[in-house]
Amino acid sequence: MAELDGRVVGMIGFHTGYLYTQDEMYARVIALVVDPSIRNKGIGGELLKEAETLAKSLGATGMGLNSGNRTEREDAHRFYERVGYTAKSTGFVKSLHS
């Protein structure tokens, strides 16, 4: 969680799992949110850095995340690339509702 002047302005959540193809633990960001009114101030980068440090201390050897391919996600994609992430895969989903 990130605070500024006593107010929550951002948060990150991640989980760890096992990467069977490489016999090692990984971490995956499942939520990263920064208040739109204060974006581009380094808060997202700091949240990611802290999560990476914690994940590494838990034994993770890599960190991944998903970000949609919609036009409104282009700024987020540039941010992830700036902080060292590489676009690598395409995800697929299927609804299991009857």
Side-chain angles (χ1 to χ4, degrees):
M1 180 176 68
E3 288 185 81
L4 183 65
D5 300 327
R7 154 178 103 92
V8 176
V9 295
M11 63 79 62
I12 190 167
F14 74 93
H15 67 85
T16 59
Y18 199 74
L19 189 58
Y20 296 101
T21 57
Q22 296 182 355
D23 195 26
E24 53 193 31
M25 186 189 301
Y26 72 95
R28 176 163 297 282
V29 174
I30 56 174
L32 174 58
V33 181
V34 174
D35 184 320
S37 69
I38 56 161
R39 287 186 182 155
N40 299 308
K41 307 272 189 224
I43 292 169
E46 287 299 316
L47 286 166
L48 270 171
K49 195 181 309 179
E50 287 295 321
E52 291 165 2
T53 298
L54 180 55
K56 189 173 179 180
S57 78
L58 295 170
T61 60
M63 179 81 91
L65 58 88
N66 287 41
S67 183
N69 290 325
R70 302 176 313 275
T71 303
E72 64 268 19
R73 299 298 298 154
E74 290 175 0
D75 288 341
H77 296 175
R78 284 190 292 276
F79 163 71
Y80 294 129
E81 289 171 344
R82 273 196 318 273
V83 296
Y85 286 74
T86 302
K88 238 183 147 169
S89 64
T90 299
F92 295 87
V93 298
K94 179 180 180 180
S95 175
L96 299 179
H97 291 269
S98 301

